[in-house]
Amino acid sequence: MTELLNSLNWRYATKKYDASKKVSAEDLKTLKEATKLSVSSMGLQPYKILIIENPELRAKLQPAAYGQSAITEASQLFVFAIEKNIGEKQIEKYIQNISETRGIPVESLDGFSGMIKGFVGSLDENGKDNWAKKQAYLALSTLINTASFLKIDATPMEGFSAEQFDEILGLDKLGLSTAVIAAVGYRHEEDATQHYKKVRKSNEELFINL
């Protein structure tokens, strides 16, 4: 537990990355596996995660993120894109996955399937997108926390144009839309913010015991 807390204290929103340092294939595999295992409402995972390494593509994305250097200097750029207006097609695919993974008849999942369809069906398109974005942020948190445990830097970023990202990455054609992004790599020794003390609310201010 001490190691986990030390890792969370070690991490910060890295501002300047060392472009010469790359995340190893083994560590990238761990980051992907951990993010895949992230909590998700009903286990549906209504998003895709793009891992962008191509320098030319990242150079195109940089202006859409207000020129932030992390877009091009980090080892990888993770883009969490929600599935737009999720519906029965995605739900039925998920139910089939459960059936095959657990070796149980699809029919035995009718109740669970009906519950998911009822919930999702009660939302309008905007409600579905907002719900999906919350799930993407949960996965983002898992990525960041896992990276800190591996002593890999990760910077969550909301400063970008989702519309421009969608256009550059061709996400509209895939029924996807960018929700949030994260740069992953290693801090540059010149990044002064790594030396700042972490500022958080005190336990007394943050927690309410009832």
Side-chain angles (χ1 to χ4, degrees), residues 15-35:
K15 301 299 186 292
K16 182 176 178 58
Y17 282 83
D18 187 337
S20 69
K21 296 180 179 180
K22 302 299 180 183
V23 174
S24 69
E26 181 180 357
D27 282 345
L28 183 59
K29 181 180 179 181
T30 300
L31 291 176
K32 291 167 66 176
E33 187 66 20
T35 306

Side-chain angles (χ1 to χ4, degrees), residues 22-193:
K22 302 299 180 183
V23 174
S24 69
E26 181 180 357
D27 282 345
L28 183 59
K29 181 180 179 181
T30 300
L31 291 176
K32 291 167 66 176
E33 187 66 20
T35 306
K36 183 177 71 174
L37 293 171
S38 177
V39 296
S40 176
S41 177
M42 296 174 288
L44 197 55
Q45 296 175 290
Y47 48 78
K48 303 284 188 182
I49 304 172
L50 292 77
I51 302 175
I52 304 176
E53 297 180 328
N54 183 284
E56 289 79 14
L57 182 55
R58 287 163 64 177
K60 291 180 181 179
L61 291 170
Q62 189 176 30
Y66 309 109
Q68 295 180 79
S69 63
I71 299 296
T72 56
E73 292 178 351
S75 180
Q76 282 85 20
L77 181 67
F78 280 65
V79 176
F80 293 78
I82 62 167
E83 298 183 74
K84 295 287 292 181
N85 199 21
I86 191 167
E88 291 195 5
K89 179 180 178 181
Q90 292 93 334
I91 296 169
E92 289 173 358
K93 183 177 181 180
Y94 171 52
I95 294 298
Q96 184 63 40
N97 190 11
I98 296 175
S99 172
E100 294 174 359
T101 300
R102 297 179 177 171
I104 57 178
V106 171
E107 295 76 19
S108 68
L109 297 166
D110 285 348
F112 184 48
S113 176
M115 184 269 289
I116 300 176
K117 291 177 180 178
F119 167 72
V120 173
S122 70
L123 304 173
D124 60 17
E125 183 174 353
N126 186 59
K128 292 177 183 178
D129 289 351
N130 285 335
W131 171 73
K133 285 180 181 179
K134 292 178 181 178
Q135 309 314 306
Y137 272 77
L138 289 173
L140 168 69
S141 179
T142 301
L143 169 67
I144 293 170
N145 291 334
T146 303
S148 72
F149 197 76
L150 296 173
K151 292 297 183 289
I152 296 171
D153 291 294
T155 306
M157 305 168 72
E158 293 182 311
F160 64 93
S161 168
E163 293 78 11
Q164 292 181 44
F165 262 63
D166 292 351
E167 181 180 354
I168 294 169
L169 297 173
L171 298 185
D172 287 336
K173 300 175 183 178
L174 301 176
L176 302 171
S177 180
T178 307
V180 66
I181 65 178
V184 173
Y186 296 97
R187 64 190 65 177
H188 197 288
E189 62 180 13
E190 296 177 358
D191 187 359
T193 54

